[in-house]
């Protein structure tokens, strides 16, 4: 099992002027630790359950571009982009640019969005959940069309209409940037994973619950004619050991997931100083998890 880190706070004690140096150090630490994944949140406001909406939050893709320039091996992505945040044609172009400038290390993490306060705060439309899922599926289709070198014609959907799906230069990832869909909704989200995604991301709850979610995904794959084993399975972990630094407790927590085919556990610490966390906790966690079977 591989290890990633998800940067979800930007409340560094040094404030905004310290964030560039901190993120550069986090990129250095991630590669020294052998992390396979480094992500940031894609939100306008900090999530309220992560403290306060008024806390610092950086724009995701600008941040990922900065991290791309400071790293050379780790895969980069947003965990995850809400489908409402950017027009899908623009999103595909942004993800393509990140992929090119990172040398093929970009992933498109995407979901149906949920944080109504930040939409209302910045005046961004926030349609009902059913429409958001319709828009999510159309966005996935648009991205795939824009990344198809043989296709640059129009797209006609219910919510989006593009006269040309032109995206030049093309991504350098082969065959294209990885699409990761976040969330465990059994009727819609996991169906979209089976139909379109290269990877899924689930919240760690219990091994039994994750096993159930993966069984649901397998059923959707059967319906869609998709190879279940071709989808990379990842989980997001934010348990107490990330705060206490208890690697033994963390290893015990994760052991139950090792036989479920989970490819990567992504650690989600609540700290504005991720570089120190990576050095102190994530680096030894890489070694711990490499030895699990």
């Amino acid at each position: 099992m591989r290890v990633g880190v998800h940067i979800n706070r930007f409340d560094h004690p040094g404030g905004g002027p310290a964030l560039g140096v901190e993120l550069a150090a986090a990129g250095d630490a991630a590669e020294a630790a052998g992390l396979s994944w480094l992500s940031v949140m894609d939100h306008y406001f900090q999530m309220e359950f992560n403290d306060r909406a008024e806390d610092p939050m950086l724009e995701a893709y600008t941040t990922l571009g900065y991290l791309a320039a400071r790293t050379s091996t780790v895969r980069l992505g947003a965990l995850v982009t809400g489908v409402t945040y950017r027009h899908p044609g623009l999103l595909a172009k942004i993800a393509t640019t990140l992929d090119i400038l990172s040398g093929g290390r970009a992933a498109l993490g995407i979901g149906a969005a949920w944080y109504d306060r930040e939409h209302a705060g910045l005046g961004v439309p926030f349609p009902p959940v059913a429409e958001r899922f319709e828009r999510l599926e159309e966005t996935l289709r648009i991205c795939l069309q824009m990344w198809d070198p043989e296709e640059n014609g129009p797209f006609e959907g219910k919510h989006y209409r593009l006269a040309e799906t032109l995206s030049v230069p093309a991504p350098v990832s082969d065959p294209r940037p990885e699409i990761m869909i976040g969330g465990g909704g059994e009727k819609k989200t996991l169906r979209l994973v089976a139909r379109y995604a290269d990877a899924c991301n689930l919240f760690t709850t219990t091994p039994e619950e994750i096993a159930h979610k993966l069984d649901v995904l397998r059923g959707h794959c059967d319906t869609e004619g998709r190879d279940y084993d071709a989808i990379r399975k990842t989980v997001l972990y934010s348990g107490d050991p990330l705060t206490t630094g208890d690697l033994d407790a963390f290893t015990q927590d994760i052991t139950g997931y090792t036989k479920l085919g989970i490819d990567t556990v992504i650690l989600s610490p609540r700290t504005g100083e991720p570089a120190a966390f990576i050095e102190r906790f994530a680096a030894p966690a890489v070694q711990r998890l490499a030895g699990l079977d």
Side-chain angles (χ1 to χ4, degrees), residues 4-290:
V5 166
H6 177 55
I7 298 172
N8 61 75
R9 298 188 69 115
F10 300 98
D11 54 343
H12 191 281
L19 289 177
V21 173
E22 178 63 34
L23 287 167
D28 291 343
E31 302 215 317
L35 297 184
S36 65
W37 170 273
L38 188 61
S39 57
V40 298
M41 287 200 298
D42 194 4
H43 282 293
Y44 306 143
F45 297 168
Q46 178 58 272
M47 300 180 298
E48 290 168 310
F49 64 77
N50 215 15
D51 203 352
R52 306 180 309 145
E54 295 82 3
D55 284 348
M57 178 58 57
L58 296 181
E59 195 281 322
Y61 285 96
T62 309
T63 306
L64 290 169
Y66 179 77
L67 287 169
R70 303 295 310 211
T71 57
S72 59
T73 61
V74 68
R75 182 176 290 180
L76 301 168
L79 197 64
V80 292
T81 287
V83 70
T84 50
Y85 295 165
R86 297 168 190 84
H87 187 280
L90 174 61
L91 177 62
K93 189 68 176 177
I94 291 169
T96 300
T97 301
L98 178 64
D99 190 63
I100 292 166
L101 298 183
S102 68
R105 294 184 288 125
L108 175 63
I110 193 164
W114 59 270
Y115 195 1
D116 53 349
R117 176 175 174 176
E118 64 185 356
H119 289 76
L122 296 191
V124 177
F126 187 68
V129 63
E131 181 179 330
R132 297 202 305 276
F133 273 99
E134 291 173 352
R135 289 178 178 270
L136 176 57
E137 182 156 16
E138 288 190 17
T139 295
L140 291 164
R141 291 170 54 203
I142 289 167
C143 288
L144 289 171
Q145 185 167 322
M146 290 184 67
W147 290 335
D148 184 343
E150 305 299 322
E151 178 61 77
N152 60 11
F155 177 89
E156 291 287 336
K158 179 178 178 181
H159 302 287
Y160 302 110
R161 293 168 180 81
L162 286 68
E164 297 179 87
T165 50
L166 186 63
S167 183
V168 181
V172 298
S173 289
D174 186 17
R176 51 171 172 72
E178 178 183 74
I179 294 174
M180 175 187 284
I181 296 178
E186 298 181 10
K187 294 182 179 179
K188 294 183 178 180
T189 301
L190 293 179
R191 177 183 61 80
L192 292 176
V193 170
R195 184 172 293 177
Y196 297 105
D198 307 296
C200 64
N201 182 255
L202 302 167
F203 291 106
T204 51
T205 49
T206 65
E208 293 76 18
E209 177 66 15
I210 295 298
H212 168 71
K213 297 291 184 182
L214 294 176
D215 283 343
V216 172
L217 175 59
R218 188 185 296 273
H220 285 304
C221 287
D222 291 342
T223 300
E224 297 289 336
R226 180 79 186 281
D227 180 3
Y228 169 83
D229 293 327
I231 299 171
R232 194 166 70 91
K233 291 84 176 175
T234 74
V235 293
L236 186 65
Y237 178 85
S238 57
D240 290 340
L242 302 188
T243 301
T244 64
D246 190 337
L247 277 163
D248 291 334
F250 166 72
T251 305
Q252 185 175 358
D253 278 355
I254 293 300
T255 298
Y257 298 92
T258 58
K259 299 186 185 303
L260 300 179
I262 302 299
D263 174 90
T264 304
V265 56
I266 301 172
L267 310 180
S268 181
R270 294 188 177 184
T271 175
E273 299 177 273
F277 168 81
I278 293 169
E279 292 170 352
R280 181 183 69 252
F281 190 94
V286 169
Q287 303 304 316
R288 289 285 188 103
L289 268 61

